[in-house]
Amino acid sequence: MTGAVDPSGLTRMLSQTMSALGRFQEGGGRADSDRTAEPAEPLEGYAEAAEGQIIVRTAPPGRVSGMVIDPRAVRLGSEVLAEELTSAVNASLADLQAKSAELSGDTDFSELNEQLKGIQETAGAQLTAFTNALVDAQERIANRGGR
């Protein structure tokens, strides 16, 4: 016969799993030891055009978060100004995309994977113990003739 089953064990395993996932989401996939005390710099794309007269900043998921147009840029004419603005926006979005790809490429889920394997093994053992306890209880009831 198996020992007493902790009914809160499965809930504890689920809580540990959710906690591990939460830590990795908050840290961008980095382990606690890799984090710094300072918050991470927000992800931002940046580009200049028209010899620095136009500055564009972009932010996820692909929106323009800021634009500076030097008054001298207006003298370029509407057609050239439109081309320079388009160029700056596209370059800033490309910069944002490159930075996003760099961040996601650095994500290492090996520690999370190990934690989840441990949680899975423990949860499996807990389920086995619970099932064995149910089988033992059923056998005891059957041996007593249903009384």
Side-chain angles (χ1 to χ4, degrees), residues 5-121:
V5 176
D6 175 15
S8 66
L10 296 176
T11 303
R12 184 176 43 80
M13 291 299 111
L14 181 57
S15 294
Q16 287 177 345
T17 302
M18 297 306 293
S19 176
L21 287 172
R23 284 192 309 272
F24 274 82
Q25 284 178 329
E26 289 168 6
R30 293 173 295 168
D32 288 338
S33 61
D34 294 340
R35 295 184 197 174
T36 61
E38 299 175 19
E41 188 176 308
L43 187 60
E44 179 181 71
Y46 177 87
E48 294 182 6
E51 298 177 1
Q53 294 178 33
I54 298 172
I55 299 172
V56 175
R57 287 182 169 77
T58 51
R63 63 179 182 81
V64 175
S65 59
M67 185 178 297
V68 176
I69 302 173
D70 188 299
R72 294 174 294 160
V74 178
R75 296 186 197 129
L76 296 172
S78 62
E79 193 173 300
V80 173
L81 181 60
E83 288 174 7
E84 293 293 330
L85 282 169
T86 301
S87 174
V89 168
N90 287 334
S92 183
L93 288 170
D95 183 48
L96 176 64
Q97 185 177 21
K99 288 176 179 175
S100 295
E102 183 180 307
L103 279 178
S104 64
D106 289 345
T107 303
D108 180 11
F109 290 103
S110 60
E111 182 181 338
L112 177 61
N113 188 42
E114 290 304 313
Q115 288 177 358
L116 291 177
K117 279 181 185 177
I119 291 168
Q120 180 184 21
E121 290 170 4

Side-chain angles (χ1 to χ4, degrees), residues 108-144:
D108 180 11
F109 290 103
S110 60
E111 182 181 338
L112 177 61
N113 188 42
E114 290 304 313
Q115 288 177 358
L116 291 177
K117 279 181 185 177
I119 291 168
Q120 180 184 21
E121 290 170 4
T122 305
Q126 190 76 29
L127 281 171
T128 300
F130 181 72
T131 303
N132 289 341
L134 287 175
V135 169
D136 288 346
Q138 184 180 14
E139 286 175 1
R140 285 193 307 270
I141 291 171
N143 289 340
R144 289 192 224 162

